[in-house]
Amino acid sequence: MSAVFDDSRRNHDDVSTDRELVRLLGHLDDLLDHLDSAETQWHALLSQVSADYRSSARNTVHYWALRQADLRSLQRRLAAFGLSSLGRSESHVQATLRLVRCAVAAMLGKAWRPPAPAAISAGEGRQLLRSRSVQLLGPTPQRREVRIMVTLPSSAATDPDLTRRLIAGGMNIARINCAHDDAAAWSAMARHVRQAARDLDRDCRIAMDLAGPKLRTGPLQPGPRCVKLRPQRDALGRVLAPARARLSAAAQPAGPAAPPGPTIPVPAPWLSRRRAGDVLTLHDARGAKRRLTLIADADREGGLIATTDKTTYLLTGTELTVHGDDDPVQVGLLPELEQSLTVRRGDVLKVTRDCSPAPVTTVGMPRIGCTLPEVFDNARAGAAIHFDDGRISGQIVDVQAGELTVRIDHASTTGSKLRAGKGINVPDTALPVPALTDKDIADLETVVQIADLVEMSFVQDPADVLTLHELLDRPGGERIGIVLKIETRRAFEHLPQLLLTAMRRPRLGVMIARGDLAVEVGYERLAELQEEILWLCEAAHLPVIWATQVLEQLAATGLPSRAEISDAAMGERAECVMLNKGPHIDDALALLDDILHRMSGHHYKKDALLRRLRSWRVDADR
């Protein structure tokens, strides 16, 4: 009886298995049909793609079609038979489906037949991505699979040793941000990069990032021309280190080239008569009597530093008297203090088309200008608005001619400072603004002369890409690679169209600009969106640059956070990781090089590489 029962049970299981396999076969056939239908849907864009990208474009459309359905149930059912669950099919969608279908058919007892040729074979997709990464980003580094891009500071134009250190430390691509400096400085940076790369026998590409039509807050009225000197004190108020300021007779440069710390401008003849040990007396801005003691400036031969143990406010015109010598002088023209608006949750802020310097006052409703007039013609009540990379957020509650009324919903509990020149994001508002400004078009003249690739900021529509193509159709421009920066909600939503349009021209990549993208879509969605961008670009066999805030704390302070170490390791999923400039960029570069080297043995894209692990031993506790 038991034998009869067992045979009956086995027959019943076989019938159930066959039924499930037939259902799987039908589901796979439906998916394959969807791929063909998708090619028809996207025919207009597919037909314009360069011949070199034709198969990749078809695979991109196939991946789009595959992800229009919820495949989670199908994945579990396929895995139950030990078959591919389609989770790593991005680079060869049609080939994967056909192979799995053949396997299911063979399990039903049909003769094995090799599948028909697909748009992209399983091995071809990975090879295409590797070769295109080399074409755009340069050779694969020796120690790792992923390249490192570093944003050059302004000082790279005058400090060739900086670029040499960066290239020696592992920089594979030097990024020049066209939102800062000018063509002369960019050209100097490029010369230093090329020379250092030749001297070190390294390949280092140059990328130039077009500024684009970024929305920014308008100017604020400047504060008084004043310098505050404040000594460092302990918890009991005792002086740990005196306040310091440099005496200078030369006009001080602005921006990154300016020396650190405050500077007191004084006439050159008077300064030449001063010596270390001189004591200066004065009455500061509050009428308080103060003393400044001069010491030698260790950083500048012959220079002098003024020190004080008491907080001192110096104004333009403040008289300095030399103790024991009848040789007074007045402080020269000090820089105007940068002011800011302080906004809190529940405050109402006026954002105006008028970009004249706005007053900074605690009385009445604060206002600040916006540098992009199109905002006022397209914004609607109820739309979100963000300032300063999302540190301040609110909702537009009223729209009038040339003026938006904004209720602040997110700010620091003690109040957030909003300064001039800070970014504005309006993710709910469609702005009819081209990605290329007049400045960008002018900057392309320099790009063609000195760069290997150009990064297109704030691309949102296929027409933006076509405009850039036309501008690069000039002598020298044909060799320039293009990187589309995905940093707005609209760019993400139009990503398939943007990629297929950009595929009309060779040498193409994508940057995930995570800072602005997070502000646009919400920080809670960033992890999800960056995964989806990586998947679609893998389907298109296009290299990706993982950008914004990678090891940012380390570059700025010299000490990394634990979270940013894990974030940097995730960069292994891309073909390039970008570091931003900072005083400790050398440390950040060295650490990122080491992290990517270690991770290269563990992961390729989503695939875990099962190398031998040496982490655990039987005698680990001994």
Side-chain angles (χ1 to χ4, degrees):
M1 287 291 292
S2 63
V4 173
F5 177 79
D6 287 343
D7 287 342
S8 174
R9 177 61 180 270
R10 184 166 57 253
N11 291 338
H12 175 75
D13 289 345
D14 289 345
V15 170
S16 297
T17 297
D18 286 350
R19 287 176 177 170
E20 173 63 359
L21 288 171
V22 169
R23 285 195 294 269
L24 286 174
L25 203 62
H27 201 155
L28 291 167
D29 284 337
D30 288 342
L31 287 175
L32 285 165
D33 288 341
H34 285 318
L35 305 192
D36 293 336
S37 299
E39 289 197 40
T40 301
Q41 282 183 264
W42 293 84
H43 174 74
L45 284 171
L46 286 175
S47 64
Q48 299 294 317
V49 167
S50 164
D52 293 338
Y53 280 110
R54 192 65 51 80
S55 57
S56 295
R58 288 180 62 202
N59 191 69
T60 305
V61 169
H62 292 167
Y63 182 71
W64 172 86
L66 184 71
R67 298 307 303 269
Q68 298 308 295
D70 188 336
L71 301 176
R72 288 175 291 182
S73 174
L74 175 63
Q75 288 181 294
R76 288 191 293 268
R77 291 158 58 203
L78 289 172
F81 286 96
L83 299 171
S84 168
S85 62
L86 312 179
R88 296 181 178 89
S89 64
E90 289 88 354
S91 66
H92 47 277
V93 175
Q94 192 177 54
T96 299
L97 289 175
R98 286 180 175 174
L99 282 167
V100 174
R101 189 198 183 283
C102 287
V104 172
M107 295 174 76
L108 282 167
K110 299 180 181 180
W112 172 265
R113 293 182 180 178
I120 290 285
S121 66
E124 189 182 2
R126 180 173 293 192
Q127 183 55 41
L128 275 173
L129 178 55
R130 287 182 182 274
S131 63
R132 288 176 184 160
S133 298
V134 171
Q135 291 169 13
L136 181 72
L137 305 174
T140 304
Q142 291 183 350
R143 284 172 37 89
R144 44 184 157 81
E145 289 290 321
V146 180
R147 297 150 186 84
I148 298 177
M149 173 186 285
V150 180
T151 302
L152 297 180
S154 297
S155 58
T158 55
D159 184 3
D161 289 338
L162 170 61
T163 53
R164 179 182 292 273
R165 290 200 316 271
L166 292 175
I167 293 174
M171 177 177 72
N172 309 112
I173 306 168
R175 175 175 176 262
I176 298 173
N177 189 349
C178 295
H180 305 290
D181 307 308
D182 56 25
W186 305 333
S187 297
M189 293 178 193
R191 285 196 302 272
H192 295 157
V193 170
R194 302 292 190 202
Q195 185 62 53
R198 285 193 295 269
D199 292 346
L200 296 168
D201 195 23
R202 301 282 183 88
D203 189 292
C204 185
R205 301 288 168 95
I206 294 176
M208 294 185 69
D209 189 310
L210 300 177
K214 188 172 176 66
L215 288 71
R216 294 192 179 276
T217 53
L220 296 170
Q221 289 182 356
R225 294 185 180 274
C226 179
V227 166
K228 180 180 180 181
L229 307 181
R230 181 171 60 183
Q232 181 182 349
R233 300 179 185 274
D234 64 14
L236 299 178
R238 294 173 297 198
V239 174
L240 297 175
R244 298 163 59 94
R246 179 177 288 104
L247 295 180
S248 175
Q252 294 302 306
T263 297
I264 303 174
V266 291
W270 181 88
L271 183 58
S272 67
R273 297 191 291 271
R274 302 282 66 81
R275 299 289 181 268
D278 284 355
V279 175
L280 311 180
T281 61
L282 63 122
H283 289 85
D284 76 356
R286 302 164 299 170
K289 189 173 182 179
R290 293 290 184 258
R291 292 164 57 95
L292 303 178
T293 301
L294 303 188
I295 62 173
D297 186 350
D299 296 332
R300 297 191 179 186
E301 186 176 352
L304 292 172
I305 296 288
T307 66
T308 179
D309 289 341
K310 294 185 177 182
T311 300
T312 303
Y313 292 84
L314 286 173
L315 294 171
T316 295
T318 297
E319 186 172 85
L320 306 178
T321 301
V322 182
H323 183 70
D325 190 354
D326 185 17
D327 194 7
V329 74
Q330 289 188 342
V331 172
L333 191 65
L334 294 168
E336 295 173 323
L337 289 178
E338 181 186 9
Q339 299 206 98
S340 61
L341 300 176
T342 300
V343 295
R344 299 173 176 81
R345 294 178 188 175
D347 284 355
V348 175
L349 172 69
K350 292 287 188 182
V351 179
T352 66
R353 188 191 299 261
D354 176 10
C355 265
S356 60
V360 177
T361 176
T362 57
V363 179
M365 188 181 302
R367 74 168 178 89
I368 197 164
C370 172
T371 59
L372 197 67
E374 288 82 355
V375 169
F376 302 94
D377 299 325
N378 295 274
R380 297 291 180 266
I385 184 168
H386 308 285
F387 304 90
D388 195 7
D389 293 332
R391 293 179 176 85
I392 302 169
S393 297
Q395 186 179 79
I396 299 171
V397 295
D398 188 39
V399 179
Q400 300 293 332
E403 183 177 274
L404 308 178
T405 303
V406 176
R407 184 188 67 239
I408 302 299
D409 299 324
H410 171 76
S412 169
T413 53
T414 58
S416 297
K417 292 184 177 181
L418 180 59
R419 303 183 186 276
K422 295 301 180 181
I424 302 176
N425 294 82
V426 284
D428 300 336
T429 304
L431 297 175
V433 179
L436 293 171
T437 65
D438 291 342
K439 178 184 184 303
D440 297 328
I441 294 171
D443 290 345
L444 279 172
E445 297 287 344
T446 306
V447 169
V448 169
Q449 295 173 19
I450 68 174
D452 299 298
L453 52 148
V454 61
E455 297 170 0
M456 189 179 194
S457 298
F458 296 95
V459 57
Q460 301 191 84
D461 189 270
D464 295 327
V465 179
L466 294 177
T467 300
L468 181 58
H469 284 181
E470 293 174 4
L471 291 167
L472 290 176
D473 286 341
R474 63 178 73 174
E478 68 279 354
R479 66 174 183 80
I480 303 294
I482 293 175
V483 174
L484 304 182
K485 292 175 64 180
I486 308 304
E487 51 194 328
T488 67
R489 179 186 298 175
R490 185 175 175 85
F492 172 76
E493 292 171 348
H494 291 172
L495 186 56
Q497 292 90 334
L498 291 172
L499 297 185
L500 293 175
T501 301
M503 284 179 177
R504 301 181 189 187
R505 193 177 187 277
R507 302 189 67 210
L508 172 64
V510 167
M511 176 184 283
I512 309 177
R514 301 183 301 164
D516 279 294
L517 187 59
V519 176
E520 286 268 326
V521 302
Y523 290 96
E524 66 279 1
R525 290 198 64 201
L526 178 61
E528 174 187 4
L529 265 59
Q530 66 188 17
E531 286 291 301
E532 294 181 22
I533 295 171
L534 285 166
W535 295 338
L536 189 64
C537 289
E538 187 176 359
H541 314 117
L542 296 175
V544 173
I545 301 169
W546 180 275
T548 316
Q549 294 185 321
V550 177
L551 296 180
E552 184 177 64
Q553 182 172 310
L554 171 58
T557 68
L559 294 173
S561 70
R562 294 175 178 86
E564 68 182 10
I565 297 296
S566 298
D567 177 67
M570 283 289 291
E572 179 65 31
R573 302 279 301 281
E575 284 62 53
C576 180
V577 177
M578 189 187 90
L579 290 172
N580 263 324
K581 57 193 175 184
H584 300 277
I585 188 60
D586 298 83
D587 296 333
L589 178 58
L591 180 57
L592 182 60
D593 177 68
D594 185 62
I595 290 172
L596 294 176
H597 167 62
R598 293 173 183 274
M599 292 302 296
S600 65
H602 289 288
H603 278 274
Y604 174 77
K605 293 295 188 179
K606 291 194 301 180
D607 296 347
L609 305 179
L610 304 182
R611 74 176 196 184
R612 178 185 177 188
L613 292 182
R614 305 176 185 272
S615 303
W616 306 296
R617 304 188 311 275
V618 174
D619 60 347
D621 294 332
R622 295 183 183 179

